[in-house]
Amino acid sequence: MTGLSRSILAPQVRKHLSADALFRLVQSDFARLPDYRVGDTEIALADALMSAFAMFSLKAPSLLAFDKERAEGNVHTIYGIERVPCDTRMREILDPISPQWLRPAFKSVFRQLQRGKALEAMTWLDGHYLLALDGTGYFSSKTVHCASCLRRVHRNGSITYAHQMLGAAIIHPDQRAVIPLMPEPMTNRDGTDKNDGERHAAKRFVAKLRQDHPHLKCIVTEDSLSSNAPHIETLHAHGLHYILGVKEGDHAYLFQQVQAAEHAGRVTYYERHDRAAGVVHRFRFVHDMPLNAARTDVRVHCIEYWEVGDDKSQHFSWVTDLRVRKRNV
Ligand SMILES: [Zn+2]
């Protein structure tokens, strides 16, 4: 029975989630965007956007490589583009477009995955999705720059211009595919240093995430740059759980408190031997610790993990708001 119903249902589900169907979805969102241009609109805005999408979708190493593919390949048919612009035209048309214009396309694809039940395989802990956030750079130059560039002034007076963004994706330890959500660009209005920029971007990201997906159950996971009181409060205010990296060097007070808790017998140990891999997984966790000396009111649960192999041992540590047990650590 199960096999039969699957064979009837699966093609229908797959059809909506096929590359063709998803490309058409993206294209229809692009086609809805108003054309900002006056004068020469020989190449449709949607065609330029779809061409840029095709370039990334095909993993073209450069605009030039994509240009070659444009001339020789069948980019038109696969991506449903009427006229593919050359690299110069593509830059001209796309440069003035705000990244925010792409947000509806991310939402449409997400909805389609949700309807097609493709999201279900991504649930991870008590029906939550694991949402990874991280800052990443995608442009850097000492000469080329624009008004939105982040600027880093070096000691010798030279300036590096850069563009960065906060990337976001739903991930799952057992799934190769990830589901990217609309990233949040960082601009020079965010502040001068990277941490500051990332913090502001995270604030905007989380607010928009809740506009687009008000009820999505998420556990946010980030590196130790994010383990600060204001950010944890932002996550909490938007109903998001978290598992964030911490480092002994940056969170000395927290680690001292964990040490004290250990002496007081409040720490739980758990160990699992993976004989086949020759690895021992060693955990220790403790609840209700102060994040740092300045904000002892922000309470976190702390997890440490040692991966002990034959010739090396690695140590990782996180803070979380989720109750930690031996069965879920
Ligand atoms: Zn710039």
Side-chain angles (χ1 to χ4, degrees):
M1 268 303 269
T2 316
L4 181 67
S5 58
R6 188 176 299 148
S7 69
I8 295 166
L9 288 172
Q12 194 65 26
V13 171
R14 269 194 229 115
K15 211 174 76 190
H16 295 298
L17 299 179
S18 68
D20 278 350
L22 292 174
F23 291 168
R24 274 199 303 277
L25 194 64
V26 171
Q27 190 185 27
S28 67
D29 278 314
F30 287 168
R32 266 194 283 276
L33 296 174
D35 199 330
Y36 67 91
R37 296 170 296 173
V38 281
D40 178 23
T41 52
E42 196 185 353
I43 293 174
L45 185 63
D47 272 359
L49 282 162
M50 208 55 201
S51 301
F53 172 77
M55 184 177 81
F56 283 95
S57 165
L58 292 165
K59 297 185 168 65
S62 67
L63 256 174
L64 203 64
F66 177 71
D67 218 30
K68 221 175 146 210
E69 191 136 13
R70 169 185 80 101
E72 297 162 2
N74 44 8
V75 171
H76 300 82
T77 20
I78 299 170
Y79 294 94
I81 306 167
E82 209 168 296
R83 290 195 55 190
V84 184
C86 70
D87 61 339
T88 314
R89 285 295 288 138
M90 197 187 330
R91 282 184 220 268
E92 284 170 1
I93 300 171
L94 297 184
D95 264 356
I97 290 181
S98 163
Q100 291 309 321
W101 289 27
L102 308 177
R103 196 169 146 202
F106 278 89
K107 201 174 161 179
S108 296
V109 170
F110 189 89
R111 290 272 175 265
Q112 189 90 323
L113 295 173
Q114 209 163 27
R115 262 184 243 121
K117 309 282 177 208
L119 272 186
E120 278 173 18
M122 303 297 284
T123 55
W124 181 60
L125 194 71
D126 300 331
H128 288 83
Y129 299 106
L130 197 53
L131 175 59
L133 305 182
D134 200 5
T136 180
Y138 57 96
F139 172 82
S140 172
S141 172
K142 292 218 157 195
T143 51
V144 181
H145 57 91
C146 74
S148 302
C149 273
L150 300 170
R151 292 170 170 77
R152 206 172 75 225
V153 183
H154 302 279
R155 223 170 267 172
N156 65 7
S158 72
I159 301 174
T160 300
Y161 302 94
H163 278 248
Q164 294 173 349
M165 65 178 193
L166 185 74
I170 291 178
I171 60 171
H172 188 288
D174 305 324
Q175 304 283 340
R176 284 185 63 207
V178 307
I179 300 173
L181 302 183
M182 175 70 197
E184 182 61 36
M186 297 179 211
T187 64
N188 64 3
R189 288 184 299 272
D190 290 340
T192 41
D193 68 280
K194 183 174 181 280
N195 301 6
D196 195 32
E198 217 167 298
R199 206 175 297 178
H200 280 85
K203 229 175 175 168
R204 291 193 301 270
F205 171 84
V206 165
K208 289 174 190 167
L209 173 77
R210 275 304 177 228
Q211 283 172 13
D212 286 347
H213 311 287
H215 307 296
L216 200 68
K217 288 171 73 181
C218 290
I219 300 167
V220 171
T221 178
E222 294 172 84
D223 65 22
S224 72
L225 276 182
S226 64
S227 293
N228 58 77
H231 182 59
I232 286 178
E233 282 171 335
T234 300
L235 295 176
H236 185 73
H238 289 85
L240 296 161
H241 294 293
Y242 59 82
I243 302 174
L244 310 173
V246 278
K247 281 184 182 159
E248 198 155 0
D250 302 332
H251 299 86
Y253 181 79
L254 173 68
F255 280 80
Q256 283 162 20
Q257 297 303 307
V258 172
Q259 206 59 44
E262 183 173 18
H263 290 310
R266 289 183 51 208
V267 167
T268 309
Y269 287 91
Y270 177 64
E271 207 173 87
R272 214 167 67 187
H273 294 250
D274 184 344
R275 289 185 209 288
V279 176
V280 179
H281 307 284
R282 191 168 293 155
F283 303 88
R284 101 175 160 178
F285 54 90
V286 56
H287 291 118
D288 197 26
M289 292 283 109
L291 180 68
N292 56 48
R295 291 296 306 272
T296 52
D297 59 314
V298 179
R299 313 299 286 192
V300 294
H301 311 320
C302 195
I303 307 169
E304 282 182 88
Y305 165 63
W306 290 263
E307 186 184 79
V308 186
D310 286 337
D311 43 14
K312 68 166 186 174
S313 170
Q314 279 182 284
H315 176 239
F316 304 90
S317 37
W318 301 269
V319 291
T320 180
D321 63 331
L322 301 159
R323 282 314 276 190
V324 188
R325 306 267 177 245
K326 284 181 182 177
R327 61 173 168 82
N328 68 11
V329 69

